[in-house]
Amino acid sequence: MNSVDEVSVEAARLGASEPKGVWTGERYLESLMDGRRVWHEGERVSVVRDPQFVGPARYLASLQDRQSQPPLRDSVTDASESGIRTSLSYLLPHTREDLDRKALASHAWMETTFGLMPRLPDFMSNVVVGLWDFRSRLAKVDRRFAENVEWFYEHARGNDLVLTHAIGDPQMDRSVSVKDNPDMALRVVDRSSDGMVVRGAKQLATLAPYSHELLVYLSPTYARRDLPEHVCWFSVPTNAEGLSLLCRPSMAGRHPVVGDLADRFDEQDAMVFFDDVFIPSHRVFLLDDAEAAFEGFWHLNKWALYVGQIRFHHRLRTTLAVARLAARAIGVDSFREIRSEIGEIAQYVEISRMCLDSMLRDASPTDYGLWAPGPTLAMDTFAAQVSGRLTEILIKISGSGAVMQSSASDLEAPLLRDLVARYMSGCGVDAEGKAAVFRLVRGLVGTEFGARQHIYELWNRGDPVRNRMSLADAIEGIGDVERAVLDELADTSMLSDV
């Protein structure tokens, strides 16, 4: 930011509306009717009216209502200094007890949503916690960046903002750099005392059409830019002039008679186009400094990555429950091989639980003061590794049941009802109950929604190969073990070249 008019920046900060605290469902839906430009299959849509968006919007609204009422309210919100209720997702963990409290709140959210909505607002709220903690590092680049972060934290917390982030470059020709094609990455094209103008695109903004604002920064893959104008962190309202969202084909709203998992949990993914979008100075958090951007990514996500592991743990528990229900519905739950497969999922549940507990026990203050969980890298690679195995096990248990089941309409058809009831019932369960269980199986493994869940587990924590490569050198004390092996176990006379 060059020659920033600090008086006007401070005025912009102070001009923000009074914080309103946590949402009600009705107020949340109203907030999405703000003129945002959301595109879907060639048409501009309203996310609160379009049949393929309204289901998840209403489900998110129902969660807002639930956080405003007992019993969930006391688990996920707290009264702020000003008296309004704010989300514990935004709580700054100054003590170990604060961190434990945040973890319990995340468990409450993920249990409520069965681990099937990876980008719940809880995730990005914790990224903002990381941004706040990193502010002293940003101050070394420019003290105004730290001041802007402090404003944004209070703005997001006080208004319980639903956020998304946009951190990746568009998937174009990855064999060339931004020097060869500037459109490969978002960049700053103009700067003034009031702010800056950005042009380009970002992917993959999950939850974007249902969010209030976007937090833009850089994944480590793209942080070390060749050109400084491509290094920028900022926040921007979803309805900003010149900003458009192009959503992938929706998975929701396709089965009006019997809703499926996507009708609640399809959080959407979007390309974000910035057609010369103006970003006011008080919303800029970093410019030009590639090393700070690289370092910052890992710090911003210390808390969110742990939240992601809590979510995966509850997805594992949901998968285990569905596997047990499916096996019991067709009378194979006592079969030795099936019990072994179910036990494998239970093993993953327990590994996840123990690792979550361990990461909290390993918590410590960061260099900047807040308490953060221990590293998640091993569990990040584990989640990517076993996600596909969950699908294999559910398919193996279910067999053809994952494909062929009756629908509610079949059971209502006079000429079909008796045949379905006679030939499509299960073990101790009628045809309707059996079909309900196997619709869950199909939703998890045999639909676009299920496939997207697996893709998310593979890639949302970064390249799994790169993560394993990093983990190979991250084990504490492994060098000492290598020396002990050579000194005490190996025949060193044979290892002169080691």
Side-chain angles (χ1 to χ4, degrees):
M1 295 183 295
N2 298 327
S3 303
V4 176
D5 183 341
E6 296 187 32
V7 175
S8 65
V9 169
E10 183 63 19
R13 293 196 193 107
L14 295 175
S17 60
E18 285 295 316
K20 298 180 174 63
V22 297
W23 300 93
T24 63
E26 181 180 7
R27 194 162 64 84
Y28 170 70
L29 290 175
E30 289 174 353
S31 74
L32 301 180
M33 295 185 286
D34 58 1
R36 60 188 58 204
R37 286 160 289 280
V38 179
W39 292 86
H40 179 250
E41 297 192 341
E43 296 183 356
R44 187 173 173 180
V45 299
S46 164
V47 298
V48 298
R49 295 191 181 95
D50 188 278
Q52 292 190 285
F53 285 81
V54 69
R58 288 176 178 168
Y59 182 68
L60 284 164
S62 75
L63 295 178
Q64 305 292 357
D65 278 333
R66 292 175 73 173
Q67 78 166 346
S68 303
Q69 303 166 2
L72 192 60
R73 182 186 65 187
D74 294 332
S75 299
V76 300
T77 71
D78 196 9
S80 70
E81 304 84 357
S82 62
I84 62 173
R85 294 203 73 86
T86 58
S87 172
L88 289 176
S89 301
Y90 281 110
L91 176 67
L92 298 175
H94 291 290
T95 66
R96 182 183 288 274
E97 290 71 27
D98 288 340
L99 185 63
D100 290 343
R101 195 177 181 202
K102 283 178 68 65
L104 289 174
S106 293
H107 273 289
W109 277 123
M110 302 311 168
E111 182 179 18
T112 298
T113 54
F114 299 91
L116 296 178
M117 202 168 201
R119 202 50 59 84
L120 275 176
D122 185 46
F123 180 91
M124 278 304 301
S125 301
N126 277 280
V127 173
V128 176
V129 169
L131 179 66
W132 187 93
D133 195 46
F134 196 62
R135 74 197 190 288
S136 60
R137 172 68 176 88
L138 297 173
K140 294 179 180 179
V141 183
D142 188 321
R143 66 175 176 79
R144 291 165 295 189
F145 294 152
E147 294 168 357
N148 293 347
V149 166
E150 291 175 356
W151 167 81
F152 180 68
Y153 170 78
E154 294 297 340
H155 169 60
R157 173 177 175 254
N159 293 288
D160 196 27
L161 294 186
V162 175
L163 302 172
T164 184
H165 64 182
I167 62 176
D169 290 347
Q171 192 179 49
M172 297 169 65
D173 183 355
R174 294 283 168 86
S175 67
V176 301
S177 73
V178 293
K179 286 184 176 179
D180 303 310
N181 180 5
D183 287 338
M184 291 286 295
L186 183 74
R187 65 193 187 278
V188 179
V189 295
D190 189 33
R191 306 186 192 202
S192 69
S193 61
D194 296 326
M196 64 183 187
V197 176
V198 294
R199 180 185 302 160
K202 280 283 189 180
Q203 68 171 38
L204 191 63
T206 300
L207 200 71
Y210 305 109
S211 69
H212 299 114
E213 297 195 13
L214 291 81
L215 180 61
V216 176
Y217 57 108
L218 296 165
S219 80
T221 303
Y222 311 113
R224 288 177 168 144
R225 294 296 194 193
D226 296 326
L227 300 173
E229 60 264 31
H230 290 275
V231 178
C232 50
W233 289 9
F234 58 88
S235 67
V236 60
T238 308
N239 69 339
E241 185 66 30
L243 190 151
S244 299
L245 304 177
L246 175 60
C247 296
R248 59 158 168 77
S250 175
M251 304 167 195
R254 296 183 178 181
H255 303 288
V257 177
V258 179
D260 58 17
L261 295 176
D263 289 338
R264 281 177 285 173
F265 301 118
D266 183 13
E267 55 200 358
Q268 262 295 342
D269 306 289
M271 286 288 298
V272 188
F273 299 125
F274 296 84
D275 186 15
D276 289 2
V277 176
F278 176 71
I279 309 298
S281 293
H282 68 282
R283 287 183 169 274
V284 180
F285 311 132
L286 179 65
L287 286 175
D288 302 336
D289 193 320
E291 286 305 313
F294 182 81
E295 178 187 341
F297 173 85
W298 303 108
H299 199 86
L300 266 62
N301 284 276
K302 282 180 180 289
W303 293 266
L305 286 171
Y306 185 73
V307 168
Q309 288 302 334
I310 292 175
R311 194 271 316 159
F312 185 65
H313 174 71
H314 287 278
R315 182 194 165 200
L316 287 170
R317 290 174 62 87
T318 297
T319 305
L320 176 61
V322 172
R324 288 165 55 90
L325 288 167
R328 197 156 58 242
I330 54 176
V332 299
D333 52 315
S334 62
F335 290 14
R336 176 183 174 87
E337 185 174 357
I338 298 299
R339 288 188 64 80
S340 174
E341 300 285 348
I342 294 174
E344 183 178 338
I345 303 177
Q347 169 189 323
Y348 299 150
V349 171
E350 279 297 280
I351 289 172
S352 173
R353 181 189 63 80
M354 290 185 288
C355 286
L356 287 172
D357 290 346
S358 176
M359 285 184 275
L360 275 187
R361 285 196 301 271
D362 290 346
S364 62
T366 71
D367 292 341
Y368 309 111
L370 294 184
W371 277 75
T376 64
L377 187 58
M379 282 303 294
D380 293 340
T381 61
F382 173 78
Q385 180 177 316
V386 305
S387 176
R389 180 64 183 143
L390 302 177
T391 296
E392 291 177 7
I393 292 173
L394 282 178
I395 291 173
K396 186 171 184 178
I397 292 172
S398 303
S400 62
V403 177
M404 183 64 237
Q405 290 298 329
S406 60
S407 69
S409 299
D410 296 329
L411 290 164
E412 294 172 359
L415 297 179
L416 280 177
R417 184 170 52 235
D418 291 344
L419 294 172
V420 169
R422 181 174 182 179
Y423 295 112
M424 300 189 74
S425 62
C427 177
V429 62
D430 61 19
E432 184 176 8
K434 179 188 169 197
V437 169
F438 282 93
R439 276 197 295 273
L440 288 175
V441 173
R442 187 175 65 229
L444 293 175
V445 306
T447 62
E448 288 181 82
F449 174 80
R452 188 265 182 189
Q453 291 272 311
H454 177 49
I455 293 170
Y456 184 93
E457 302 295 1
L458 281 178
W459 291 105
N460 90 95
R461 303 169 187 90
D463 181 349
V465 173
R466 184 186 63 208
N467 287 344
R468 283 194 293 270
M469 291 171 62
S470 298
L471 188 62
D473 295 322
I475 304 303
E476 183 178 355
I478 193 62
D480 295 335
V481 178
E482 290 175 359
R483 286 186 288 274
V485 166
L486 288 177
D487 292 344
E488 301 182 31
L489 296 181
D491 182 355
T492 56
S493 66
M494 303 291 289
L495 297 170
S496 57
D497 295 330
V498 173

